Amino acid sequence: DSRDIKKNSIFICLKGKKTNGHNFVKKNIKKNCKFIINKKFKLEKKLQIYEKKLIRTNSPLKTLIHLARLKRKNLKGILLGITGSCGKTTIKEMLHFFLSSYSTSYKSPKSYNNKIGLPLSILNQPTNSSYNFYELGMNRLGEIDFLSKILKPYIGIITNIAPAHIGPLKSLKNIFKAKSEIIKNIDKFGYIINRLVSFVDPSKGDKFQSSSALDAIKLGGVKGQGMGEGILKDSVPEAHTDLSLIHI
């Protein structure tokens, strides 16, 4: 948002359905910040003295995502990715509230949980933050996979499965598939926290039965735990098994 530009900010000009970030370059070019713009963008003659403030790229959005991936590689704290049909923001706010009293913490602002909001949130995360909380939203298959590949969380949380955004997905089964895309992108030896046992238990089909029991299954590395390994492999193709599965 150009209204939030501060000293040493980078303003990435994105084109949306209602407006275009390039329209705000002229108004803000004199401020002490840089602008990532489309290659075709040109300054009018009287403003060309500010040309050095412009960083031209074929796609400002792709540049935003690429910068977020680079930033992620240099982050050392624990990153938590939260997805689910509802409750993402509540869980994020609650965890941040409690853990910020224990150590430095960061949370993605508002509901920044899409292909723009998530990379923007990663880029603004302090490098010295110990606990970091992000939301991952979706309304079609493949979106959680795309976002979680950028975030690579150490802990993934699936709050629930419900018919929210069911329109494009058409069934609870597809919502389950979409939300569980996060599992294969959890950092190695990380954790997935899951409210419903049947998310990752193919033997229960599509019943989506809830469980109040706490059941932790360590996957990989211990002989005799092939059942847990099979659960993930059958449910989410390509998921590595060096993680812990926690049912709540």
Side-chain angles (χ1 to χ4, degrees):
D1 192 326
S2 62
R3 293 167 293 186
D4 296 332
I5 291 177
K6 299 175 182 178
K7 185 178 180 180
N8 296 324
S9 293
I10 296 177
F11 181 65
I12 301 175
C13 301
L14 302 177
K15 184 178 180 181
K17 292 181 179 179
K18 296 182 178 180
T19 189
N20 188 332
H22 293 81
N23 297 338
F24 300 94
V25 174
K26 179 180 177 181
K27 181 179 178 180
N28 295 283
I29 194 72
K30 295 180 182 179
K31 295 181 180 179
N32 189 19
C33 66
K34 295 279 188 179
F35 296 84
I36 293 180
I37 59 168
N38 190 285
K39 267 190 173 181
K40 296 180 181 179
F41 181 82
K42 291 183 180 181
L43 282 174
E44 55 186 87
K45 193 171 183 179
K46 65 179 181 180
L47 294 175
Q48 287 180 357
I49 57 172
Y50 300 107
E51 183 69 29
K52 289 184 179 180
K53 289 191 172 188
L54 305 183
I55 303 170
R56 287 185 165 80
T57 176
N58 287 325
S59 170
L61 178 57
K62 288 182 180 179
T63 300
L64 169 66
I65 293 168
H66 182 63
L67 289 172
R69 288 193 176 111
L70 291 175
K71 173 73 176 284
R72 174 63 185 94
K73 289 180 180 179
N74 293 289
L75 293 175
K76 304 298 183 185
I78 293 175
L79 276 70
L80 292 88
I82 305 165
T83 190
S85 297
C86 57
K88 295 184 290 295
T89 302
T90 301
I91 295 294
K92 179 190 71 177
E93 295 292 334
M94 183 174 65
L95 289 172
H96 179 264
F97 175 80
F98 286 113
L99 287 175
S100 60
S101 63
Y102 178 74
S103 186
T104 53
S105 296
Y106 170 80
K107 62 179 180 177
S108 57
K110 303 177 184 178
S111 294
Y112 283 16
N113 60 19
N114 62 12
K115 65 181 180 181
I116 296 173
L118 178 72
L120 188 63
S121 300
I122 292 173
L123 286 171
N124 282 300
Q125 179 187 315
T127 55
N128 63 344
S129 180
S130 298
Y131 301 107
N132 309 281
F133 309 97
Y134 291 88
E135 296 180 43
L136 288 80
M138 68 90 209
N139 55 23
R140 58 178 57 87
L141 289 166
E143 285 186 279
I144 297 295
D145 181 42
F146 176 79
L147 295 173
S148 55
K149 278 178 178 173
I150 299 172
L151 183 62
K152 295 187 181 299
Y154 179 69
I155 299 173
I157 299 174
I158 303 175
T159 61
N160 48 41
I161 295 294
H165 307 295
I166 198 169
L169 293 166
K170 299 180 180 178
S171 70
L172 281 175
K173 183 176 181 180
N174 283 336
I175 293 176
F176 150 64
K177 287 181 178 178
K179 299 299 184 184
S180 41
E181 288 169 357
I182 191 175
I183 296 174
K184 63 183 178 181
N185 296 316
I186 298 293
D187 231 7
K188 195 172 184 180
F189 300 111
Y191 295 82
I192 184 76
I193 299 175
N194 163 46
R195 187 182 176 193
L196 302 181
V197 172
S198 58
F199 282 1
V200 287
D201 189 349
S203 67
K204 294 191 177 182
D206 299 327
K207 294 180 181 179
F208 298 95
Q209 295 174 347
S210 62
S211 170
S212 59
L214 180 64
D215 178 23
I217 304 173
K218 187 68 180 176
L219 303 178
V222 180
K223 190 174 182 180
Q225 293 182 335
M227 183 183 72
E229 207 168 294
I231 286 173
L232 274 180
K233 285 183 177 178
D234 290 345
S235 302
V236 187
E238 302 175 28
H240 64 74
T241 57
D242 293 319
L243 55 83
S244 291
L245 172 63
I246 301 175
H247 297 311
I248 298 176

